[in-house]
């Protein structure tokens, strides 16, 4: 009787259509936090073209290459120009670096099939000369390119500096001559020289907007002046102090030149006493700020205390200052007196003399100051609170190491954080580790 009922029940069920059967294979119901959810399997082979392209853009090159072998359609997408406009070549020697490297076969495929698609190109190399030379060899083959941005990045020195100047210049010349639309170049720590800059200007003067070339010892003040004279659209410039000149600032201030937005200057000395630093005239700084009133002037100092004599004797329109080595009290005093546009100040070390008076002068005279960082310095708690009180809520970034603060009769460290928090309008604590 029971078997008969079971048989009857089966007979009463409607037969499944092929479409319903297919739906059962692709859909299933589950429960997530008590709610019914429909799970649908994905047919990866039929994903829309733009979706696959977007996925490929986020994949590392080696994974993208592997994915291209899944099917013919994905292989076609792998080779479309949009995927090759932005590319970073990673060149490392396995014996000296743990970083991954772009496979030589892929490099040759890129050069063969996609050199004319490359627009935003960078080379990341380790410290070995072989890697830097390999980068130059690739650059020399980009004869049909139309590169807009070029970056040469060394993860460690010396890298490009060990490449012969002739080999490096020849490789850059290929790109400079054939691109004719370069807008951004970052070539720090390289043997770039004046003749190479002249080739750059001759072919890309109308398009160049950013030039970052710190630590390029073969470039002279005349070489960078040539760039400023001809590239009137230049908005960002980074260079070493030794090639900064009054003539360069005046060229950047000419009526033909667009407003400069960012000027970074690295002031570096490896051996104390061996470099005599020149002084830039106040009139030259004034001309630049009059022409480009919103320009950010950023200076990084890596000097010894006795080498600061040439700086900030007169008013200087610097906006961001970073001191990577010890800086004297006298120097900080001059900053308070002569840097009215200062926005950010970072002092990594200063010695054992409290900086109360210097900080209070900076707070009083530098009305645009919004960020401060102090490392191996000394400031009394009372002096620091006075500094914060004068700056008030405009200090959006305040990074002070705990050992910088010297407790006094008026304030302990516990009370200090409450007072500082009150004047800033937000909770504040001293840092245990430097954050800059």
């Amino acid at each position: 009787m029971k078997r008969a009922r079971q048989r009857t029940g089966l007979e009463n069920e409607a037969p499944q259509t092929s479409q319903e059967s297919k739906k059962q294979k692709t859909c299933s119901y589950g429960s997530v936090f008590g709610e019914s959810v429909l799970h649908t399997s994905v047919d990866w082979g039929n994903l829309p073209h733009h979706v696959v392209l977007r996925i490929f853009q986020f994949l590392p090159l080696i994974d993208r290459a592997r994915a291209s072998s899944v099917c013919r359609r994905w292989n076609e997408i792998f080779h479309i120009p949009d995927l090759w406009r932005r590319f970073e070549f990673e060149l490392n020697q396995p014996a000296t670096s743990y970083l991954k490297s772009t496979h030589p076969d892929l490099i040759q495929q890129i050069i063969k099939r996609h050199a004319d698609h490359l627009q935003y190109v960078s080379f990341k190399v380790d410290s070995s000369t072989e890697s830097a030379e390999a980068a130059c060899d690739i650059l020399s083959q980009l004869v049909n390119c139309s590169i807009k941005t070029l970056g040469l990045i060394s993860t460690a020195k010396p890298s490009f500096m060990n490449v012969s100047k002739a080999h490096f210049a020849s490789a850059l010349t290929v790109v400079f001559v054939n691109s004719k639309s370069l807008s951004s170049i970052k070539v720090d720590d390289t043997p770039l020289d004046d003749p190479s800059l002249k080739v750059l200007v001759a072919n890309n003067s109308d398009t160049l907007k950013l030039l970052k070339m710190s630590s390029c010892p073969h470039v002279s003040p005349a070489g960078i002046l040539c760039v400023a004279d001809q590239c009137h659209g230049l908005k960002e410039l980074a260079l070493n102090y030794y090639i900064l000149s009054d003539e360069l600032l005046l060229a950047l201030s000419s009526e033909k030149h667009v407003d400069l937005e960012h000027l970074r200057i690295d002031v570096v000395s490896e051996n104390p006493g061996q470099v005599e630093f020149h002084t830039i005239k106040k009139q030259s700084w004034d001309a630049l700020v009059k022409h480009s009133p919103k320009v950010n002037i950023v200076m990084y100092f890596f000097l010894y205390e006795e080498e600061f004599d040439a700086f900030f004797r007169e008013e200087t329109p610097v906006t961001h200052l970073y001191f990577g080595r010890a800086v004297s009290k006298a120097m900080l005093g001059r900053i308070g007196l002569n840097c009215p546009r200062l926005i950010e100040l970072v002092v990594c070390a200063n010695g054992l003399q409290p900086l109360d008076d210097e900080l209070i002068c900076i707070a009083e005279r530098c009305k645009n100051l919004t960020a401060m960082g102090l490392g191996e310095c000394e400031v009394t708690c009372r002096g620091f609170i006075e500094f914060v009180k004068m700056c008030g809520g405009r200090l959006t970034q305040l990074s002070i190491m705990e050992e910088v603060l010297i407790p006094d009769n008026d304030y302990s460290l516990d009370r200090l954080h409450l007072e500082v928090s009150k004047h800033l309008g937000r909770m504040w604590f001293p840092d245990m580790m430097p954050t800059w």
Side-chain angles (χ1 to χ4, degrees), residues 225-281:
L225 182 60
C226 171
V227 176
D229 278 337
Q230 301 297 322
C231 301
H232 298 142
L234 192 67
K235 293 184 177 182
E236 297 185 44
L237 178 63
L239 70 169
N240 281 85
Y241 185 81
Y242 77 90
I243 58 175
L244 183 70
S245 63
D246 294 294
E247 292 78 10
L248 175 62
L249 293 181
L250 294 175
L252 293 170
S253 308
S254 70
E255 292 183 1
K256 295 179 181 180
H257 208 287
V258 301
D259 285 7
L260 194 68
E261 296 176 359
H262 191 92
L263 175 62
R264 170 175 168 160
I265 305 162
D266 290 347
V267 191
V268 182
S269 171
E270 298 296 340
N271 300 301
Q274 291 192 3
V275 179
E276 185 174 342
F277 293 96
H278 61 285
T279 300
I280 300 296
K281 296 177 182 176

Side-chain angles (χ1 to χ4, degrees), residues 319-384:
T319 56
H320 299 73
L321 271 174
Y322 305 93
F323 293 96
R325 291 183 188 149
V327 55
S328 66
K329 280 172 62 71
M331 178 67 165
L332 291 174
R334 296 204 299 268
I335 290 170
L337 293 173
N338 294 318
C339 299
R341 297 179 78 238
L342 190 64
I343 295 172
E344 182 174 8
L345 174 63
V346 173
V347 179
C348 292
N350 170 254
L352 301 177
Q353 294 178 300
L355 300 177
D356 297 22
D357 294 340
E358 289 73 22
L359 289 185
I360 290 171
C361 178
I362 288 171
E364 182 180 7
R365 301 288 294 269
C366 304
K367 300 297 185 181
N368 298 316
L369 187 72
T370 60
M372 168 70 79
L374 295 178
E376 297 177 14
C377 310
E378 286 194 357
V379 182
T380 67
C381 289
R382 183 178 186 82
F384 181 64

Side-chain angles (χ1 to χ4, degrees), residues 91-105:
L91 304 169
N92 305 290
Q93 301 302 311
T96 58
S97 176
Y98 63 88
L99 299 173
K100 293 183 178 179
S101 189
T102 309
H103 196 280
D105 292 343

Side-chain angles (χ1 to χ4, degrees), residues 166-186:
H167 187 193
F168 184 80
S170 174
L172 279 188
T173 298
V174 171
V175 177
F176 290 171
V177 169
N178 290 285
S179 292
K180 298 188 183 301
S181 59
L182 275 165
S183 64
S184 172
I185 303 174
K186 299 178 182 180

Side-chain angles (χ1 to χ4, degrees), residues 49 98 110 147 169 202 215 219 249 262 272 339 352 406 418:
H49 180 281
Y98 63 88
I110 293 166
I147 293 176
S215 300
V219 174
L249 293 181
H262 191 92
C339 299
L352 301 177
I406 306 171
L418 294 174

